[in-house]
Amino acid sequence: AAVAYARVVGEAPEAGSAVSAAGQASAEAHVAEEAEGLRLHLSSSNGTGYKGVYLRDGCFYAQHWVDGRNVSLGNFGTAVEAAVAYAW
C-alpha cells in the first residue's frame, strides 16, 4: 500500500522508467516488506504527506517527539521510507 501511495504522489518510480525492472522490484519489495503491518501516519498539513517527515537538503528527514524532546530518526531517500521509520 505504501508503494502504491508513493506512486500516486510521485515518489516511487513508475514501471518502465530508467530504473531497471529488477532494481525497482527489489526496492518496492523492501519498502513494502517494512511497511507491512505498520500504520503510516498521513498528514494533510505536512508537505510530504506524512506526519514527522520533512524535506531537508534534498533528503527526507524523520523525527519524533518523545517526552518533550525531538528525536531524530534519520535521513531517507524517499518520504515513504521516512514514514516507515516514523511508524516504528
Side-chain angles (χ1 to χ4, degrees), residues 34-81:
E34 285 188 24
E36 193 67 37
L38 297 177
R39 181 175 165 263
L40 300 183
H41 301 272
L42 301 178
S43 171
S44 61
S45 63
N46 187 329
T48 65
Y50 298 101
K51 181 178 179 183
V53 176
Y54 306 94
L55 183 60
R56 183 175 75 187
D57 299 328
C59 292
F60 291 92
Y61 175 76
Q63 64 182 18
H64 200 293
W65 286 92
V66 178
D67 297 327
R69 295 181 329 186
N70 188 8
V71 177
S72 172
L73 302 175
N75 294 318
F76 301 89
T78 68
V80 173
E81 291 171 330

